Amino acid sequence: MTLTGGAEESRAEVEGVEVGVIRISPSMRDNGRPRIARIRSIEVRADQRRRGIGRALLVHALDALHTREFGLATIDVDETDTATISLLESVGARRESNTLELTWQK
């Protein structure tokens, strides 16, 4: 698997075929310092799921955010989406409210 991209969008390829993407919207403070990053989506082709691609994309993007000095990323998740919740919790995300906003801090 090859991962490309950075803190705003990263893509995963297997044998030259795109199999996943993560999209993030970083938010900056007025003074130009990082504020918060919102994970907009994590997508993995259905036939490529359960192979660690989503986790690899997530870790890659979070590392890129950390390099840019972001210490906080959030994502809103449907409470019935147990696979995504498990994925996020596996990298240290934790529930912040009853709306299932999951927060990661490095």
Side-chain angles (χ1 to χ4, degrees):
M1 173 177 30
T2 304
L3 298 173
T4 59
E8 294 184 30
E9 183 174 282
S10 294
R11 297 181 176 279
E13 291 183 0
V14 173
E15 298 178 3
V17 176
E18 185 175 303
V19 294
V21 63
I22 184 170
R23 292 182 180 91
I24 298 176
S25 295
S27 175
M28 306 299 276
R29 298 182 194 283
D30 291 338
N31 65 4
R33 302 277 303 154
R35 183 176 162 270
I36 193 169
R38 176 159 301 287
I39 300 169
R40 295 187 342 246
S41 65
I42 303 170
E43 303 167 24
V44 176
R45 276 186 19 190
D47 65 332
Q48 296 293 315
R49 293 183 184 149
R50 311 273 318 152
R51 297 180 182 194
I53 294 168
R55 188 175 200 290
L57 281 166
L58 187 57
V59 168
H60 180 78
L62 293 175
D63 285 346
L65 286 168
H66 182 67
T67 299
R68 290 180 55 190
E69 298 185 8
F70 281 86
L72 182 65
T74 65
I75 183 171
D76 293 323
V77 181
D78 183 305
E79 65 185 19
T80 64
D81 190 350
T82 57
T84 300
I85 292 169
S86 294
L87 167 66
L88 294 164
E89 289 176 340
S90 79
V91 297
R94 62 186 183 279
R95 242 176 254 240
E96 290 294 325
S97 69
N98 58 358
T99 61
L100 292 177
E101 181 176 83
L102 296 171
T103 303
W104 163 88
Q105 280 189 287
K106 184 95 175 179

